[in-house]
Amino acid sequence: MGKYILKRVLSMIPLLFVVSILVFLFIHLIPGDAARQVAGATATAGEVEAVRKQLGLDQPLIPQYIQWITGIFHGDLGISYTNNTTVAELFAPRLPITIYLTICSITWSVLIGIVIGVVAAINRGRTLDMLGMLIAIAGISLPNFWLGLQLMQIFSVNLGLLPTGGLEDWRGYILPSLAMGAGIMAILARVTRSSMIENLGKDYVRTARAKGLPESRVIMAHAFKNSSIDIITVTALQIGALIAGSVVVETVFSIPGLGRLLVDSIGFRDYEVIQALILFFSFEYMVINLIADVLYALINPRVRYE
Amino acid sequence: MAETLLEVKDLKTEFKRGKKDWITAVNGVSFQVRAGEIVGLVGESGCGKSVTSLSVMRLHSKHNTRITGEVTFEGKHLLELKEPEMQEIRGNEISMIFQEPMSALDPIMRIEDQLTEAISLHNQGLSKSEVHARCVRALKLVGIPEPEMTLRNYPHELSGGMCQRVMIAMAMSCEPKLLIADEPTTALDVTIQAQILALMEQIRNEHNTGILLITHDLGVVAETCSRVIVMYAGNIVEEAPVKELFRNPHHPYTKGLIESVPRLGRRVRRLPSIPGSVPDLSAMPSGCRFAPRCAYARPECSARLPELVEVGPDHKCACPFYANVRKEA
Ligand SMILES: Nc1ncnc2c1ncn2[C@@H]1O[C@H](COP(=O)(O)OP(=O)(O)O)[C@@H](O)[C@H]1O
Ligand SMILES: [Mg+2]
């Protein structure tokens, strides 16, 4: 098992390199003059050229890339010209907020999604099933920004129970993580339901019942354990959507996290920040995927020693 | 005569189809299994053998199944027990093995865990090492050469025959008095089939277990069983000791089944010696259900469902015209 994890971690390194090249090219090939952006709208042509030289933007792409990537290895993520600070300083307070928000969203949505799916599967075709799937359809079809605004309207404006935005205390996380996780919750509810229905009809479940196991044991120790393979796979596939969701939701709830920073930086064409953020989100995606893969291998003996 | 373990009386199993419709898969069957006896339950596929066995174990879904009649196991009325009481019986007093040994085991659980589950469920208070010892013993009983290694395996690492041995080990691990084997050899190679059948006979001999052996293959019955029950479209059509059945079949369906068994040294003239197939549950013919396929059918056959009546010592048949069949045969 340890060997498998090590292999997976090592395989992330070349992938990260490829991603960093793509991100770098993407930022440097899009139209728009970074030097002019930094120098300011009123700068003369001479001043812009001076800035370009100072930033190294007059160099060919390859040396620029090498300089950037070496900097990252030394903890230098670049400079935010809009804020006149290093990117690392911008990240420091925002990173924990986004990570915390992501963890909250994943946790509640996975738990609730699974519970709804299992309950629906056990009560297939009856009221609880219909109710669960109604919630799932709502969760899939409502866009997260709209859901966020509605939640804010109901719980913050009308009922005055929760803050409309910002993060004074933990209550500030409730509505954003609800809005962020709703989609995953809904997809997981549906996947769990169909996977559980399939597995509950399998021969080994009949064997488990024939052994005399109580139904709760049959459902959890056999059917659900097998379904968790599907659940992990689908959760991993939803991580991209979740990260994209954090960008939207942080903006709606004016949360000072990395997602919000991305939106602001795009507005100011703060290229080095955008570049570092995209690299970070790619990294986050890979790490969560790695965790999913390891869990998958832990549960499914048929892949472990490949 | 040995004590009767299982007594099934007038068992009827219906499934819900649509909102209000019920279809009858098993239509009032009665039979017995005694200790130390291997009883064959035969019939073409789709004639209700599995439904019968799962009804005895009460393994059908409660929501869409209606089971009536009486199932008595050692004086207990199984159909009236509460679910937890039934769980005490399953795997402990009555065990079951199935057709597809590979898919009957949980693919992501080690063999040891699957065996342990059954053993510690019905034997509370055993220590870990005692349970492990019983796992090893169970695998040895079914002739698995390296039990310690097999215990650590997952089902996909074993062959079909090994999986079926493991299934039998699991079924026997709590020393049940009755074993229901639903087509235990159908999915296996011929040589493995013979080994598994020999194993079941050995278990019967050593433990005096009653075995209900379900199969569509009369060849299997001839080798293993002492008594045979022939089922057709949800009804029992004939019941007799195995030698008597083969020598002296009374029901045209039984006769057809026997003729379709390929035998060494005898050229098979026509393998499917019964034309047509088992009728659909929702379109059962009136009267004798076999009549539409029966070479000896008469107009009276469609009037009334014939009853299973005694036609000789231990021999019952549900065809009032059996005498004609015998004459012509
Ligand atoms: N759970 C079920 N719901 C509805 N019909 C069923 C169910 N299980 C079996 N049947 C039907 O009952 C009939 C008998 O099936 P079965 O007992 O499995 O046959 P076999 O003799 O081959 O074991 C078949 O027509 C089958 O389609
Ligand atoms: Mg069957």
Side-chain angles (χ1 to χ4, degrees):
Chain A
M1 196 63 215
K3 228 170 161 182
Y4 174 81
I5 298 175
L6 189 71
K7 225 166 79 184
R8 280 292 281 105
V9 172
L10 290 180
S11 75
M12 269 172 69
I13 294 172
L15 202 59
L16 263 174
F17 260 110
V18 173
V19 168
S20 74
I21 291 170
L22 289 178
V23 170
F24 179 82
L25 285 178
F26 176 68
I27 295 295
H28 285 259
L29 296 179
I30 48 174
D33 186 349
R36 171 149 287 284
Q37 199 68 30
V38 172
T42 55
T44 64
E47 282 167 338
V48 172
E49 276 321 300
V51 171
R52 195 185 308 284
K53 207 164 207 141
Q54 186 202 336
L55 297 184
L57 290 175
D58 55 341
Q59 306 267 318
L61 282 180
I62 293 176
Q64 279 194 55
Y65 171 77
I66 291 172
Q67 199 188 350
W68 176 60
I69 205 75
T70 341
I72 285 175
F73 276 115
H74 293 91
D76 171 15
L77 300 176
I79 289 167
S80 163
Y81 294 100
T82 320
N83 299 293
N84 279 320
T85 52
T86 63
V87 174
E89 270 170 49
L90 273 182
F91 272 30
R94 291 174 172 83
L95 181 65
I97 291 175
T98 295
I99 289 182
Y100 191 52
L101 190 61
T102 308
I103 290 175
C104 286
S105 312
I106 291 190
T107 311
W108 88 261
S109 58
V110 169
L111 287 180
I112 303 289
I114 286 173
V115 170
I116 290 179
V118 170
V119 170
I122 298 169
N123 295 283
R124 185 183 184 184
R126 278 172 285 159
T127 320
L128 276 176
D129 183 18
M130 314 261 185
L131 189 69
M133 287 310 101
L134 200 70
I135 297 174
I137 288 174
I140 287 173
S141 30
L142 303 179
N144 51 14
F145 70 89
W146 186 86
L147 186 63
L149 290 172
Q150 296 307 311
L151 289 172
M152 208 191 286
Q153 178 71 36
I154 297 169
F155 291 98
S156 311
V157 179
N158 294 352
L159 298 175
L161 292 174
L162 295 165
T164 52
L167 291 173
E168 257 81 83
D169 55 23
W170 61 270
R171 294 186 314 157
Y173 282 100
I174 295 179
L175 294 183
S177 46
L178 277 181
M180 214 169 125
I184 295 203
M185 179 277 287
I187 288 170
L188 280 181
R190 289 170 59 133
V191 168
T192 306
R193 176 183 181 273
S194 62
S195 175
M196 282 296 285
I197 287 175
E198 190 193 328
N199 281 322
L200 282 170
K202 290 268 174 77
D203 287 357
Y204 63 80
V205 164
R206 187 182 53 190
T207 306
R209 292 197 178 115
K211 278 186 200 174
L213 292 180
E215 189 63 14
S216 57
R217 193 72 207 271
V218 173
I219 290 170
M220 293 320 291
H222 292 276
F224 179 71
K225 206 170 162 217
N226 276 275
S227 287
S228 65
I229 295 175
D230 296 336
I231 293 171
I232 291 168
T233 309
V234 171
T235 310
L237 287 173
Q238 291 306 312
I239 292 162
L242 185 82
I243 291 174
S246 78
V247 174
V248 176
V249 167
E250 284 182 14
T251 309
V252 170
F253 285 92
S254 40
I255 289 171
L258 292 177
R260 176 74 191 281
L261 180 65
L262 181 67
V263 175
D264 291 345
S265 310
I266 292 172
F268 295 125
R269 302 242 161 75
D270 203 345
Y271 293 109
E272 300 209 352
V273 183
I274 301 173
Q275 197 168 266
L277 276 170
I278 299 180
L279 194 63
F280 168 77
F281 285 133
S282 313
F283 181 66
E284 180 185 4
Y285 184 91
M286 283 185 227
V287 170
I288 303 181
N289 250 307
L290 171 74
I291 296 173
D293 275 2
V294 170
L295 282 178
Y296 187 95
L298 270 179
I299 291 176
N300 191 349
R302 286 161 295 190
V303 297
R304 197 170 299 171
Y305 301 111
E306 267 170 26
Chain B
M1 187 152 291
E3 51 162 335
T4 300
L5 275 178
L6 179 75
E7 165 113 49
V8 175
K9 245 192 210 152
D10 223 9
L11 178 76
K12 186 168 175 178
T13 307
E14 295 159 289
F15 295 113
K16 205 173 192 165
R17 182 172 282 180
K19 275 235 160 12
K20 287 227 169 66
D21 264 4
W22 292 84
I23 49 165
T24 309
V26 172
N27 187 28
V29 304
S30 307
F31 63 91
Q32 301 169 353
V33 180
R34 289 185 275 268
E37 174 184 49
I38 303 184
V39 179
L41 180 57
V42 290
E44 281 164 291
S45 141
C47 57
K49 307 179 301 287
S50 299
V51 172
T52 303
S53 63
L54 292 172
S55 301
V56 168
M57 291 288 271
R58 282 189 25 198
L59 283 174
H60 290 297
S61 152
K62 286 192 288 290
H63 303 298
N64 65 350
T65 318
R66 192 161 66 194
I67 304 177
T68 51
E70 234 174 75
V71 177
T72 319
F73 175 77
E74 295 201 302
K76 283 176 282 227
H77 293 279
L78 298 191
L79 297 184
E80 280 147 36
L81 292 186
K82 295 203 180 62
E83 182 55 28
E85 294 168 326
M86 194 61 213
Q87 283 162 10
E88 298 267 309
I89 292 187
R90 288 189 201 119
N92 193 18
E93 315 240 4
I94 310 179
S95 282
M96 208 167 165
I97 60 174
F98 303 99
Q99 175 167 352
E100 294 287 342
M102 297 285 228
S103 59
L105 289 165
D106 190 329
I108 61 172
M109 217 187 215
R110 284 182 204 278
I111 303 299
E112 170 146 25
D113 296 333
Q114 305 199 39
L115 275 167
T116 300
E117 208 174 39
I119 293 170
S120 45
L121 182 73
H122 298 297
N123 302 279
Q124 250 121 46
L126 285 187
S127 75
K128 251 188 168 163
S129 58
E130 281 168 327
V131 172
H132 178 77
R134 285 192 58 162
C135 289
V136 173
R137 184 145 51 93
L139 291 192
K140 273 197 186 134
L141 172 79
V142 297
I144 288 179
E146 287 181 81
E148 292 285 355
M149 205 177 79
T150 306
L151 281 176
R152 281 192 298 272
N153 282 136
Y154 287 96
H156 72 275
E157 294 165 330
L158 303 176
S159 67
M162 281 299 257
C163 281
Q164 195 60 293
R165 281 173 196 268
V166 169
M167 279 298 291
I168 296 174
M170 202 155 80
M172 296 307 298
S173 64
C174 297
E175 308 198 333
K177 302 198 176 84
L178 178 68
L179 176 68
I180 301 178
D182 189 352
E183 311 252 6
T185 59
T186 306
L188 304 174
D189 293 343
V190 186
T191 48
I192 312 289
Q193 275 192 22
Q195 291 172 12
I196 296 290
L197 290 176
L199 173 62
M200 304 221 316
E201 287 196 82
Q202 176 205 328
I203 282 170
R204 188 270 313 266
N205 296 340
E206 287 172 8
H207 300 262
N208 201 34
T209 315
I211 299 180
L212 181 64
L213 178 63
I214 299 175
T215 175
H216 65 268
D217 182 355
L218 268 181
V220 167
V221 166
E223 280 173 45
T224 335
C225 302
S226 43
R227 207 150 49 80
V228 194
I229 299 163
V230 182
M231 235 180 133
Y232 182 77
N235 292 312
I236 292 180
V237 295
E238 185 156 9
E239 185 187 329
V242 72
K243 282 209 185 89
E244 163 80 1
L245 190 91
F246 278 95
R247 209 177 327 119
N248 194 12
H250 275 42
H251 198 284
Y253 180 61
T254 313
K255 192 171 162 273
L257 279 185
I258 293 173
E259 277 170 9
S260 61
V261 179
R263 259 181 246 166
L264 278 180
R266 192 187 84 176
R267 272 205 16 242
V268 183
R269 269 168 307 160
R270 4 165 229 149
L271 194 68
S273 57
I274 314 167
S277 57
V278 183
D280 191 78
L281 293 186
S282 51
M284 276 297 166
S286 63
C288 173
R289 293 174 167 186
F290 186 59
R293 297 172 69 188
C294 180
Y296 313 95
R298 320 160 161 208
E300 304 96 283
C301 291
S302 309
R304 216 166 51 83
L305 188 67
E307 267 175 50
L308 193 64
V309 291
E310 202 93 20
V311 294
D314 284 331
H315 196 157
K316 292 181 204 154
C317 178
C319 180
F321 309 114
Y322 68 92
N324 302 343
V325 175
R326 287 171 71 196
K327 241 178 272 160
E328 286 168 48

